């Protein structure tokens, strides 16, 4: 890890690390999203919804792409696109939603 610390012991801005409260917020959100996905699968919602990030499509790495028949052009079957945000902004958003 490329962790940078200020003279006072705090994490330098832009460091890809967090304190205990940031880690707790990240874990809470992760478990919440995993639960939402599990509930959706249990209720029968299991359609393909691949991610596209920085022009890379998850389908290109998927072992099931030949039988999945995912087509980004069809309504309701859009790939998920993600915005690029800095690590400190992610933690700020997570802590605001607690």
């Amino acid at each position: 890890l490329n962790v940078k610390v200020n003279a006072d012991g705090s994490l330098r801005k832009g460091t890809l690390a967090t304190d205990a409260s940031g880690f707790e917020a990240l874990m809470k959100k992760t478990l919440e999203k995993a639960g939402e996905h599990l509930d959706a699968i249990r209720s029968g919602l299991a359609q393909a919804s691949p991610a596209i990030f920085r022009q890379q499509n998850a389908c290109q790495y998927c072992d099931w792409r030949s039988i999945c028949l995912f087509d980004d052009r069809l309504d309701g079957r859009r790939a998920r696109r993600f915005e690029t945000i800095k690590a400190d902004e992610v933690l700020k958003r997570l802590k605001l939603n607690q």
Side-chain angles (χ1 to χ4, degrees):
L1 289 173
N2 185 14
V3 177
K4 297 174 184 150
V5 180
N6 295 318
D8 66 357
S10 63
L11 295 171
R12 189 175 297 173
K13 187 175 181 176
T15 295
L16 293 177
T18 186
D19 57 12
S21 67
F23 185 76
E24 185 177 329
L26 184 59
M27 288 300 298
K28 181 179 176 183
K29 187 62 162 184
T30 300
L31 292 173
E32 178 184 311
K33 293 305 271 181
E36 288 173 10
H37 289 296
L38 188 57
D39 290 344
I41 291 168
R42 285 180 176 153
S43 66
L45 301 173
Q47 71 181 36
S49 182
I52 294 176
F53 182 70
R54 293 185 179 161
Q55 305 303 89
Q56 290 190 355
N57 188 330
C59 295
Q60 69 192 66
Y61 304 103
C62 181
D63 293 336
W64 301 100
R65 68 181 172 270
S66 62
I67 60 171
C68 171
L69 303 177
F70 178 83
D71 187 343
D72 189 40
R73 297 169 294 178
L74 297 175
D75 288 341
R77 301 215 45 198
R78 300 272 182 221
R80 295 171 293 134
R81 288 171 172 76
F82 297 95
E83 64 179 307
T84 302
I85 58 176
K86 295 183 178 187
D88 55 342
E89 179 64 21
V90 170
L91 293 172
K92 184 194 301 184
R93 290 183 189 185
L94 287 172
K95 288 180 181 181
L96 287 175
N97 291 325
Q98 283 187 347

